[in-house]
Amino acid sequence: MGPTQTPYQRYSREFSGSQQNGQPDSIMVVLDAARRASARITINFSGNQQWIRDENGFSITKWKQRVDRFRGKNIDSYIADGTLIGHLIMDEPSDPTNWNGKPVPQGLIEEMAKYSKDIWPNLTVIIRAWPDYLEGGNYPSLDATWIQYHSRFGDLDNFIETRLHAAQELGLAVVGGVNAIRGGPGKTSMSPSELRSWGERILEEDICLFLLFDYKEDYFARADIQAAMEHLTDIARGLPKRDCKK
């Protein structure tokens, strides 16, 4: 478990995992640092959404070109030993504000997932998307989706039932998490009690990975937040290991 975009220098018992945007010139440094710390990371090889859209919205041609930058990088050993545990192929495809007013066509999701599998057959493919967007599609190459809680989504138990369980019913593994930095009431940072209780509730579910969005040094340096993180880490480390492959 751990926050997204965690600097590799901060990997620790509490920050034992992270989601990173990959860069070809630094990918090996990032993977080596994660391996030394026994951390588990997922990588978005296409990077920020600005690089994979054009005037028509999402561009799968640009997406493939961004992913292709990592062809030839010797990352297979990091996949094999569990350091690199997933490829996040896309974030929020259903949100038109991310894609020049046009949601990503659902039919392109499997094309992206298969493209990833063709390059790295043993690497888990993850998307951050709601189950109602994915419903009705056919995704033999997609392994998991990332379901993240924010207080604006209302009651947590209802959120788990309508979002997390619904994703599992699609046959996908689930990466669970909370928006620690802006997921409190009024888009504030979560309080220590919110982080502790909401994180604890999600960890009760059958999730394969727990991520917090995102990393802010001053927030995670607070003693009260560190105590909440230690509490969640104790729970997570007591759970059986789960594979994000479906």
Side-chain angles (χ1 to χ4, degrees):
M1 60 170 279
T4 63
Q5 305 303 323
T6 302
Y8 63 79
Q9 300 91 337
R10 291 284 276 116
Y11 290 137
S12 63
R13 180 177 183 273
E14 288 75 30
F15 294 173
S16 60
S18 181
Q19 157 63 32
Q20 301 285 341
N21 285 334
Q23 295 294 336
D25 57 354
S26 61
I27 184 70
M28 306 311 293
V29 173
V30 171
L31 289 171
D32 282 339
R35 174 181 278 169
R36 289 194 301 270
S38 297
R40 303 289 181 258
I41 65 174
T42 63
I43 291 181
N44 180 344
F45 291 111
S46 57
N48 190 283
Q49 295 161 348
Q50 66 178 313
W51 305 115
I52 54 174
R53 63 186 177 221
D54 57 24
E55 65 277 5
N56 297 313
F58 170 69
S59 168
I60 193 163
T61 298
K62 287 188 173 184
W63 182 88
K64 289 178 179 179
Q65 290 171 345
R66 296 284 291 180
V67 172
D68 285 346
R69 297 175 303 155
F70 296 87
R71 288 182 182 269
K73 295 292 182 181
N74 188 19
I75 65 174
D76 288 348
S77 67
Y78 299 95
I79 299 171
D81 69 11
T83 299
L84 177 55
I85 60 172
H87 174 191
L88 179 69
I89 59 171
M90 178 161 283
D91 189 7
E92 297 186 320
S94 63
D95 187 347
T97 62
N98 294 333
W99 312 106
N100 288 338
K102 301 175 183 178
V104 177
Q106 186 197 61
L108 294 180
I109 303 305
E110 172 58 21
E111 183 175 346
M112 286 187 282
K114 184 177 184 302
Y115 197 82
S116 177
K117 290 286 189 181
D118 286 344
I119 302 171
W120 304 291
N122 298 315
L123 183 58
T124 298
V125 176
I126 304 168
I127 191 169
R128 185 172 169 232
W130 297 125
D132 56 354
Y133 168 81
L134 295 170
E135 190 174 14
N138 184 31
Y139 314 103
S141 303
L142 184 65
D143 294 295
T145 187
W146 177 9
I147 302 295
Q148 177 179 281
Y149 180 68
H150 189 298
S151 64
R152 65 186 172 87
F153 297 139
D155 179 72
L156 178 54
D157 286 330
N158 182 65
F159 171 85
I160 288 171
E161 184 62 32
T162 59
R163 301 293 180 94
L164 194 151
H165 290 171
Q168 292 169 333
E169 289 173 2
L170 296 175
L172 299 172
V174 173
V175 176
V178 298
N179 188 327
I181 302 303
R182 291 185 289 276
K187 295 187 177 181
T188 59
S189 296
M190 290 183 178
S191 69
S193 62
E194 290 166 346
L195 178 60
R196 179 188 293 251
S197 62
W198 293 342
E200 186 175 307
R201 176 64 185 87
I202 290 173
L203 283 169
E204 292 175 1
E205 296 297 319
D206 184 18
I207 61 175
C208 62
L209 181 66
F210 184 82
L211 288 173
L212 298 92
F213 185 88
D214 55 13
Y215 181 83
K216 297 294 183 184
E217 178 64 36
D218 56 351
Y219 178 79
F220 288 106
R222 288 167 42 184
D224 53 357
I225 296 299
Q226 288 180 355
M229 287 291 293
E230 289 170 3
H231 174 72
L232 295 178
T233 297
D234 288 340
I235 295 173
R237 287 182 174 269
L239 297 173
K241 291 184 179 180
R242 300 180 175 118
D243 195 335
C244 286
K245 285 189 173 66
K246 65 183 178 184

